[in-house]
Amino acid sequence: MDLTVFLAVLAAAVMHASWNVLVKLELDRFLSLLLIQTLMGGAGLLMLLAFPLPAAASIPYAVASGLLHLGYNLFLARSYRTGDLSQVYPIARGAAPLLTLAVTWAVMHEDVSLMSAAGVALLVAGIWAVSLIGRRGLRLDGLTLFFAIGTSVFIAAYTIVDGLGGRASGQPSSYTGMVFVFDAVFLAATALALRGPGVVGQVAPYWRTGVTGAALSVGAYWIAIWAMTQAPIASVAALRETSILVVMLLSARVLKETVSPARLAGAALIVAGAMLIRFA
């Protein structure tokens, strides 16, 4: 992977992790996602105005991405209703790169070197080690596990769709903006249908904090879509999950969490996997 792309994806991982650790919204998970996604939709409109429009061939990909992101948001919110963040997050994020690798290699026949595949495997192993090893009381009921795994399927699906859409668009930046708009419209319509117009008043007081989270999310996914036009989709998908490592470091620094030897070993696996992807 080219050094510029590699560093850009690492920057995206830092942005993604930073918003998850530092941005605190006193809303349930669904409303938090609604607020962030709505603000991202506004950013998407600005991106469509600022950059040349994407090719028409990429519009179906953007629509599909919006629907897949809707499924992701609904499944993720449902997972967190009955499962802890520390248990649901690694399942959702850790399984997705493997699914992405399998589909891009077996179905799309994207060229993935043995070193890249090994890097993805090491990185995913590190994610699971950092997130789960040494934790007591690891319990997920069958329904929560279903939604957590379903979340990972949606992540893999929208990653592949957006990688293909970004390539078909000829303009990854405006394609990203279009995706943000569709994501916002679909989630807002669903929120109004499920919870009524009162959701507007519930999320409005938190817009200032939401702007920070939306800005970081916009930067993170904008970079990811651009990177997938420059490098194999599976490699980018795996590398951006180094956000788990950033979360661990920020939690130790900001939240004063203890970093165990097992988590340090997992961190080493993540770094080793990232290096294999970089030099593949």
Side-chain angles (χ1 to χ4, degrees):
M1 182 182 289
D2 177 76
L3 179 60
T4 300
V5 177
F6 178 79
L7 293 176
V9 177
L10 289 184
V14 172
M15 292 178 195
H16 179 73
S18 297
W19 115 250
N20 277 279
V21 173
L22 301 178
V23 176
K24 303 299 182 184
L25 291 169
E26 296 177 3
L27 295 166
D28 68 50
R29 186 66 182 182
F30 180 76
L31 292 180
S32 296
L33 292 169
L34 172 64
L35 175 59
I36 296 296
Q37 204 69 66
T38 300
L39 292 169
M40 290 175 70
L45 289 174
L46 295 177
M47 292 167 72
L48 285 170
L49 293 172
F51 298 100
L53 291 177
S58 66
I59 295 176
Y61 290 102
V63 174
S65 176
L67 293 171
L68 290 168
H69 272 90
L70 174 61
Y72 158 78
N73 286 321
L74 293 174
F75 268 60
L76 183 64
R78 173 58 183 81
S79 298
Y80 285 143
R81 266 173 44 200
T82 51
D84 292 337
L85 174 90
S86 61
Q87 298 175 359
V88 170
Y89 190 85
I91 294 173
R93 305 303 307 193
L98 292 179
L99 292 172
T100 303
L101 176 64
V103 173
T104 54
W105 177 74
V107 178
M108 296 166 49
H109 306 294
E110 187 167 71
D111 185 27
V112 180
S113 69
L114 183 60
M115 184 179 290
S116 291
V120 171
L122 274 179
L123 199 150
V124 170
I127 290 172
W128 285 76
V130 163
S131 304
L132 298 179
I133 289 178
R135 293 186 181 273
R136 297 179 180 177
L138 180 60
R139 297 184 303 274
L140 285 178
D141 64 85
L143 196 57
T144 303
L145 183 61
F146 167 78
F147 281 102
I149 293 174
T151 300
S152 70
V153 173
F154 279 113
I155 293 171
Y158 73 61
T159 298
I160 293 169
V161 165
D162 283 333
L164 295 175
R167 293 173 182 180
S169 72
Q171 296 290 339
S173 294
S174 55
Y175 172 80
T176 303
M178 186 166 56
V179 167
F180 291 159
V181 171
F182 281 122
D183 290 355
V185 169
F186 292 150
L187 187 56
T190 302
L192 289 172
L194 293 176
R195 302 200 182 186
V199 295
V200 177
Q202 289 178 275
V203 301
Y206 301 95
W207 71 269
R208 289 183 180 83
T209 307
V211 165
T212 303
L216 291 168
S217 294
V218 164
Y221 204 55
W222 186 356
I223 290 171
I225 291 180
W226 168 79
M228 288 188 289
T229 68
Q230 308 294 316
I233 293 172
S235 296
V236 174
L239 191 58
R240 68 177 178 161
E241 300 306 344
T242 55
S243 59
I244 284 277
L245 177 58
V246 182
V247 167
M248 184 189 79
L249 295 174
L250 285 175
S251 296
R253 178 75 175 177
V254 177
L255 304 179
K256 308 303 182 184
E257 291 185 359
T258 302
V259 179
S260 67
R263 299 188 81 189
L264 286 175
L269 287 176
I270 291 173
V271 172
M275 288 300 100
L276 283 179
I277 292 171
R278 160 67 181 94
F279 291 108

